[in-house]
Amino acid sequence: MVSRPWLAHYDPGVPATLGEYPRRTLLDYIDDGVRERPDHPALLFKGRAMSLGELDRESTAFASALSALGVTKGDRVATMLPNSPQFFIAELGAWKLGAILVPMNPIYNEEELVGPLTDTAPKVVVTLTPFYERVKAVQERSGVKVVIATSIKEYFPALLRTVFTLFSEKRLGHRVTLQPGDIWLQDLLAANRKTTRPAFRPSPDDDCMILLSGGTTGTPKGVRVHHHGLVCTGLQAQAWFASEFRAWTDVYMLPLPMFHSYGACGVQSVCFIGHNPIALVPNPRDLNDTVKTFEKVRPTIFCGVPTLYNALLTHPDVKSGKANFGSLRACVSGAAPLMAETKRRFEAATGASIVEAYALTETLLAATINPIRGVQKLGSVGMPVPDVEVIIVDADDPMKILPAGEVGEICLYGPQIMRGYWNNPEETALMLRTGPDGRQWIYSADLGYMDEDGYVFIVDRKKDLIKPGGMQVWPREIEEVIQAHPSVAEVGVRGFPDDYKGEIAVAFVVLRQGASVTVEELREYCKKHLAFYKVPGKVVFRAELPKSLVGKVLRRMLTLDETPAS
């Protein structure tokens, strides 16, 4: 029996268990909302609200269009779309036929697209116009039959749409000419708006999405997401935030892309279940748009990643105090480690509290998260949400559960964990394994420990472990120290081979604007806060660090191809 010490530290009102989860899909909850308040906003986008009723009608029209194109239950529909109403129209339309959505990362280059498209074999790809040529370049190699294009302006308010058409569309690469056989999304919707919804209803056990994840190896694999898993995740999040996030009225702001599990499994699930508007930001790197959207929609909850919180701290309106964050009851940070210094600076600048969370795509956001009102322990990613369990096992003996305080591999269990990777039984067997109690657990390849109260602390990725002179060093502990230096804006650390020590830690540092510090000054600073063998062997200054679209520093892409400043 797995002990659950975290239950004693839940916020008041958060239940230990939600009992038996309803056998429903998110489509059922949307139907509830349409029946009760069809004019209630479902999406907030660039100053325009899309109601539950309009979203339902547009997605039904798209379902009819897909059906006419030969899409049936189990077929895949891929998207190359930012956060926009078109994403949700494509997603819900596919689900209404029993099809499986495959959200692709829009910044993938041609070679990165070929593998996932070939593996999942979608019949249809829905793409935003700036990505159209990239999709066409790989269409023949990947076997995609139909390409549907849409413009970002389609659901803009009238004035903004006109201004965009006149001054930005062509300049920003949004104006394209479709090749023969390809279709405009708006033409499909217009031709099918008078059709009725398909009679088919997906089962809670049916797959609904394939999300790409690096898993334990870093190579993209398709995580099979099932409808019931999204419901479980949404109900768990709703229970956790019940005191701060009211159904129907409160707004969840989503700057992170919907191809990532953060939005795809977490935000949309809790919002569709609670009928809460989702405020969409199409480009998380557009800080002006993020701040402007914040001022317009006045969200109750904001989700971000550490690099986004760091970036917001540099925005003039945030630095001057002009940006008003008073509507917030919580900010959630995930997808990458939140440095203590980032949390401190953001909370001091805005007055908004950040709670750190942890989850995997493979667990459909079955997660740990810090309490909203209770104790938030420095460096902890919190405790398991209701009906999610965590154990720490010996990294060398996966059947041995470790006691509190000992570092090992983090394993997660919950009712929504993935059914496996798409067409990849070998990788599934590595990630989804029978644990010490006989149940199927996700073996995360993340190293961490749990304290006596059930709070989880991430040490680092198992594969990122650095061994200088045979000692064990985790990049994150070096990053935490360097990030706290007043001249440092961002830092990433990884190991490199070394003739003398076997391996050394190299710190890649981005300085704050106008700040200066030498390599030796940083190394001396590290010596005051770290054991001698943890002090980075080299320090390299960079103008920026390589990041994913969700803002995670890509350690594997930190290279010494430039002359290091050491």
Side-chain angles (χ1 to χ4, degrees), residues 244 250-251 294 297-301 324-330:
E244 312 296 335
D250 289 335
V251 174
F294 196 100
V297 305
R298 310 300 296 152
T300 301
I301 296 183
N324 184 353
F325 291 82
S327 64
L328 280 177
R329 297 194 190 96

Side-chain angles (χ1 to χ4, degrees), residues 77-81 102-115 117-118 122-150 176 178-179 182-183:
V77 174
T79 57
M80 284 276 285
L81 297 170
V102 186
M104 305 293 291
N105 186 337
I107 67 171
Y108 273 179
N109 61 34
E110 293 176 15
E111 292 306 312
E112 289 171 318
L113 279 176
V114 171
L117 286 176
T118 303
K123 282 189 175 179
V124 173
V125 174
V126 184
T127 181
L128 201 71
T129 48
F131 319 133
Y132 173 74
E133 295 299 338
R134 222 179 312 152
V135 172
K136 294 301 292 183
V138 301
Q139 182 176 5
E140 186 174 343
R141 280 188 286 166
S142 59
V144 173
K145 292 180 172 60
V146 180
V147 177
I148 299 171
T150 184
V176 300
L178 297 193
Q179 296 182 27
D182 297 336
I183 316 167

Side-chain angles (χ1 to χ4, degrees), residues 21-22 24-26 29 227-236 273:
Y21 287 79
R24 310 192 83 201
T25 73
L26 292 185
Y29 288 96
H227 282 285
H228 193 238
L230 295 183
V231 171
C232 294
T233 296
L235 290 173
Q236 290 163 358
I273 287 173

